[in-house]
Amino acid sequence: LAKTTQPISMDSYEGQEVNITCSHNNIATNDYITWYQQFPSQGPRFIIQGYKTKVTNEVASLFIPADRKSSTLSLPRVSLSDTAVYYCLVGDLGSSASKIIFGSGTRLSIRP
Amino acid sequence: KAGVTQTPRYLIKTRGQQVTLSCSPISGHRSVSWYQQTPGQGLQFLFEYFSETQRNKGNFPGRFSGRQFSNSRSEMNVSTLELGDSALYLCASSLGGDSNEKLFFGSGTQLSVL
């Protein structure tokens, strides 16, 4: 299982673009990179998933370099409601939920 | 579609008691997994059920158990509660078998053991 390393916390301001980088040096060939968002007293919510290069959806973009040893979640024009903990997960999700390991996550605080 | 439903939302118990938590997955989802979340340990995997069978189990004592019914609804039980069992218990459902599935989480049950 690939271990991930993320910053413990980040601060930004409304309207800014926020980039959260995750390191996963031991990523395996079959592993995908997935990001979840969690608000206090709620369960995590899927944000985006990718394998290589760039993935974009209505919420965020995910940039993955060619060596796949890191990835960057990009949140465009954040608002106060984006204040949450963001988890980077790496694994072959197809086999079992037990292989999904949530690290400590990045606590993102957005200020007015 | 309705999301993952967990009941009760909050629960207060005393040491030595037992507790049963319930999880109703998204319709059509056959896999249900349970997680414990505490400030100190983060999110930790408890167990996963698929088609009424426990598919995987995390590193928790035997006091933690679960089951899944034919309609995919799941329950987890914690016996002989300890103070350290105070946590947010989260249930997640997924289709159960396809590659790179998303997990859909409920809002959790906040358990306080006094």
Side-chain angles (χ1 to χ4, degrees), chain A residues 15-82:
Chain A
Q16 300 294 305
E17 177 185 77
V18 171
N19 296 310
I20 306 175
T21 297
C22 178
S23 297
H24 27 81
N25 291 319
N26 297 322
I27 189 168
T29 303
N30 293 334
D31 288 346
Y32 274 66
I33 300 154
T34 310
W35 287 79
Y36 282 81
Q37 174 194 56
Q38 185 178 25
F39 298 111
S41 299
Q42 292 187 28
R45 182 177 72 102
F46 174 90
I47 300 176
I48 198 166
Q49 183 182 80
Y51 184 80
K52 63 180 179 180
T53 62
K54 177 183 174 183
V55 179
T56 298
N57 61 23
E58 64 278 5
V59 176
S61 294
L62 179 59
F63 298 91
I64 305 168
D67 66 6
R68 305 201 324 124
K69 293 184 183 298
S70 67
S71 59
T72 299
L73 173 72
S74 181
L75 304 172
R77 297 181 298 282
V78 293
S79 64
L80 295 176
S81 63
D82 291 315

Side-chain angles (χ1 to χ4, degrees), chain B residues 38-65:
Chain B
T38 60
Q41 298 295 321
L43 261 161
Q44 293 186 286
F45 172 78
L46 278 158
F47 29 66
E48 181 199 6
Y49 287 87
F50 178 77
S51 294
E52 302 180 65
T53 302
Q54 188 179 86
R55 188 153 70 172
N56 284 287
K57 190 176 191 303
N59 189 26
F60 277 81
R63 299 185 298 107
F64 292 81
S65 63

